[in-house]
Amino acid sequence: MPAKIRSSSAVYKIEQNSDINVTPFVDVMLVLLIIFMVSMPVATRAIRLDMPPAGETTGKKPIFISIQGPGEIYIGARKTSLLQLDSDLRSALQSDHPLEERILVRGDADVEYNDFMVVLNELKANGYSSIGLINEDMD
């Protein structure tokens, strides 16, 4: 009697394991969690803000400096230049202590960052320390 030939698929039947091994995934996630928990306090920085007391107003309005382009600097409605900024600002403030007065700086939307920072650096170099920035909504 001739021998029966079996197909190789019937003899070597290998079942595939379709389960996902989540143990390495959980290990990696726990390590990442620990790293983030340790590094978060280091990434937090404290910024000191000196806020005026509530209800206290000085009554004197601040001076507005408007930067509308390169070389287009205005103190209120009066045009000035970077070289005359300190003297024009002192005359506009009309104060015995002009370096302690509030100055608010605003720039148009198309003003480049460098032009804005040149004015701020000039104010800081001349000793003005109470400088605020104004952001206006673009409706």
Side-chain angles (χ1 to χ4, degrees):
M1 196 163 127
K4 290 185 177 180
I5 300 175
R6 295 184 182 181
S7 67
S8 61
S9 63
V11 176
Y12 301 106
K13 186 174 181 183
I14 300 174
E15 293 183 20
Q16 292 186 356
N17 184 5
S18 63
D19 294 336
I20 297 174
N21 188 3
V22 295
T23 304
F25 176 71
V26 171
D27 290 344
V28 168
M29 294 308 291
L30 287 174
V31 169
L32 288 175
L33 178 67
I34 292 170
I35 289 172
F36 285 129
M37 287 174 58
V38 169
S39 65
M40 283 308 279
V42 175
T44 306
R45 303 256 185 234
I47 298 174
R48 182 173 176 235
L49 294 176
D50 294 328
M51 300 296 289
E56 183 179 317
T57 58
T58 60
K60 190 167 184 179
K61 293 185 177 181
I63 295 292
F64 292 93
I65 296 178
S66 178
I67 306 166
Q68 297 180 1
E72 292 186 49
I73 304 167
Y74 292 87
I75 298 175
R78 194 171 130 212
K79 187 171 182 174
T80 186
S81 68
L82 192 61
L83 297 174
Q84 297 174 336
L85 181 63
D86 184 40
S87 62
D88 289 346
L89 189 57
R90 286 179 187 269
S91 65
L93 287 170
Q94 299 176 352
S95 173
D96 295 335
H97 306 287
L99 299 179
E100 297 173 5
E101 296 294 328
R102 289 186 307 162
I103 301 168
L104 299 178
V105 181
R106 66 175 150 221
D108 283 352
D110 58 341
V111 172
E112 293 188 16
Y113 179 74
N114 187 41
D115 297 332
F116 189 79
M117 288 307 297
V118 165
V119 173
L120 286 182
N121 288 336
E122 184 68 22
L123 290 172
K124 282 291 200 179
N126 289 323
Y128 297 97
S129 60
S130 183
I131 301 171
L133 304 178
I134 298 177
N135 180 22
E136 296 179 2
D137 291 333
M138 309 271 302
D139 291 331

